[in-house]
Amino acid sequence: NAGVTQTPKFQVLKTGQSMTLQCAQDMNHEYMSWYRQDPGMGLRLIHYSVGAGITDQGEVPNGYNVSRSTTEDFPLRLLSAAPSQTSVYFCASSYSWRGKAQPQHFGDGTRLSIL
Amino acid sequence: DQQVKQNSPSLSVQEGRISILNCDYTNSMFDYFLWYKKYPAEGPTFLISISSIKDKNEDGRFTVFLNKSAKHLSLHIVPSQPGDSAVYFCAASGDTNAGKSTFGDGTTLTVKP
């Protein structure tokens, strides 16, 4: 039972490079989200999706792109990496409303450093 | 403007005693609140939640209290155990999608044996 799987776990990039953070879930969850966590801070929502083919922006979307072609996968693309994007990135998934807001299941994060 | 605030960055308690973690929010549109627990190098895991139509929800050693008029909630852990040592995040959601939750900055709980 894998849950939410994020790859890679660690990555170092140079300014201006692009890359894709992968996220996959095997729980058939409708909702998926990407957050970033900076030191001493909470999680801030980057982008989210309520189902395949549907995405929307969160609190801090600039510099990131997402797509959701399948229920299972929700990749996050950094278009041109900047040092301000150095952070820990978490992917999460959850069921849609079931009479109450469903809790999110998180991956273990990708630690990204931009030099 | 931070909509969800956890004003205590850290809390230290003795094993067996009560731990009380606090959370304040400013947005009156929030109607669902969740607590997550996070160990180092792992993702957060869901602990307990409460709907705005309730003022208390209990699950084993964990109880969450909600005071809507004060826009305040608290998580009580009784009795505290060393394995409870972790970062605790309060999160609030304004619609049916908890995936759009707004998180506080977290409180690091240390339970001493």
Side-chain angles (χ1 to χ4, degrees):
Chain A
N1 189 5
V4 179
T5 302
Q6 291 184 238
T7 56
K9 293 188 183 303
F10 303 92
Q11 185 70 48
V12 179
L13 291 178
K14 294 182 179 179
T15 297
Q17 287 185 315
S18 63
M19 81 160 293
T20 299
L21 308 186
Q22 301 291 345
C23 176
Q25 53 95 5
D26 62 358
M27 296 171 281
N28 205 30
H29 286 165
E30 296 92 342
Y31 294 168
M32 295 188 75
S33 308
W34 275 102
Y35 293 87
R36 60 177 287 174
Q37 185 189 16
D38 299 320
M41 297 181 68
L43 284 73
R44 290 186 293 169
L45 183 64
I46 304 171
H47 285 286
Y48 66 96
S49 169
V50 298
I54 306 170
T55 64
D56 206 346
Q57 296 182 351
E59 180 186 356
V60 288
N62 293 338
Y64 307 95
N65 209 349
V66 292
S67 60
R68 183 112 179 259
S69 56
T70 67
T71 299
E72 295 78 19
D73 299 300
F74 191 43
L76 177 72
R77 297 182 187 83
L78 277 71
L79 308 174
S80 177
S84 61
Q85 294 178 304
T86 293
S87 190
V88 181
Y89 292 83
F90 290 100
C91 178
S93 71
S94 67
Y95 287 115
S96 60
W97 179 262
R98 296 283 194 272
K100 61 180 181 179
Q102 296 297 305
Q104 296 177 88
H105 297 252
F106 285 84
D108 285 338
T110 294
R111 284 147 187 82
L112 184 61
S113 293
I114 315 295
L115 305 179
Chain B
D1 178 33
Q2 196 169 9
Q3 298 187 66
V4 178
K5 293 183 180 180
Q6 295 177 254
N7 291 319
S8 298
S10 62
L11 174 68
S12 181
V13 301
Q14 208 67 33
E15 181 179 6
R17 305 294 292 269
I18 185 172
S19 296
I20 300 176
L21 295 92
N22 295 303
C23 179
D24 297 295
Y25 62 98
T26 57
N27 189 341
S28 58
M29 297 302 290
F30 289 143
D31 59 7
Y32 212 82
F33 303 91
L34 307 95
W35 285 93
Y36 292 87
K37 175 180 178 180
K38 184 184 181 303
Y39 292 118
E42 294 183 8
T45 55
F46 170 71
L47 197 55
I48 192 169
S49 63
I50 189 166
S51 165
S52 61
I53 63 173
K54 296 185 176 181
D55 56 17
K56 177 183 175 181
N57 188 27
E58 190 173 356
D59 184 1
R61 296 186 297 115
F62 303 91
T63 303
V64 56
F65 296 92
L66 176 62
N67 183 334
K68 280 193 68 177
S69 61
K71 294 190 176 68
H72 176 83
L73 63 154
S74 60
L75 174 68
H76 293 212
I77 307 174
V78 183
S80 301
Q81 300 173 353
D84 295 330
S85 297
V87 179
Y88 289 79
F89 290 103
C90 170
S93 177
D95 59 24
T96 60
N97 180 5
K100 289 174 62 180
S101 294
T102 301
F103 282 76
D105 288 344
T107 296
T108 300
L109 173 66
T110 302
V111 180
K112 299 179 178 179

